[in-house]
Amino acid sequence: MLINNCYGRYASFFKNHDLKEADKYIKRVIPNAELYLDYEHALVFERIGEDKEIDLDYHTVINGIAYDGTFTSNYNELVKYFDESKAQEKKSNVFTCNGKKYEQETLF
């Protein structure tokens, strides 16, 4: 992605890493994500609301648009766990108790 102008909290990260559009792996963790950098961890950017004041100590401005930056797991791990979670969904634990069907969900 072409970056014409970047400044703010995470601007120094753009020197060594390419900015990419958020895909299904990133959006599974942060649904409103628009962009990310594949760093040691994924640095994910969400657009801030238009009613919020831009504070360069907390926000990053990319091509004139202000974003909040959040670190999450390494991109390769997000892909790995996405595939594993899809496989786990196919193996849902459905059981019957007193004639009613229930599905067991795992939180962790």
Side-chain angles (χ1 to χ4, degrees):
M1 174 175 224
L2 181 62
I3 304 168
N4 296 326
N5 190 10
C6 178
Y7 55 93
R9 182 170 187 167
Y10 296 112
S12 62
F13 286 77
F14 291 85
K15 295 176 185 173
N16 301 320
H17 305 284
D18 293 328
L19 186 67
K20 302 173 185 172
E21 288 189 39
D23 57 14
K24 64 183 178 182
Y25 307 111
I26 296 289
K27 289 185 178 204
R28 179 173 181 263
V29 178
I30 302 176
N32 295 327
E34 291 187 18
L35 307 168
Y36 78 99
L37 292 172
D38 191 11
Y39 179 61
E40 292 173 12
H41 300 283
L43 174 53
V44 180
F45 294 99
E46 292 179 90
R47 190 180 297 211
I48 68 167
E50 292 180 13
D51 58 332
K52 287 190 176 181
E53 185 176 327
I54 298 171
D55 182 349
L56 296 180
D57 289 335
Y58 298 101
H59 301 118
T60 304
V61 178
I62 304 167
N63 294 337
I65 301 171
Y67 294 92
D68 272 328
T70 306
F71 284 99
T72 188
S73 299
N74 177 287
Y75 183 79
N76 292 333
E77 290 178 3
L78 293 177
V79 172
K80 174 184 167 187
Y81 294 129
F82 182 87
D83 293 339
E84 287 179 6
S85 69
K86 289 295 181 188
Q88 186 66 26
E89 286 176 10
K90 292 178 184 175
K91 299 178 187 176
S92 65
N93 297 324
V94 178
F95 61 95
T96 304
C97 180
N98 296 331
K100 293 183 180 179
K101 288 188 177 183
Y102 296 93
E103 184 174 356
Q104 182 176 355
E105 293 187 22
T106 303
L107 297 177
F108 302 98

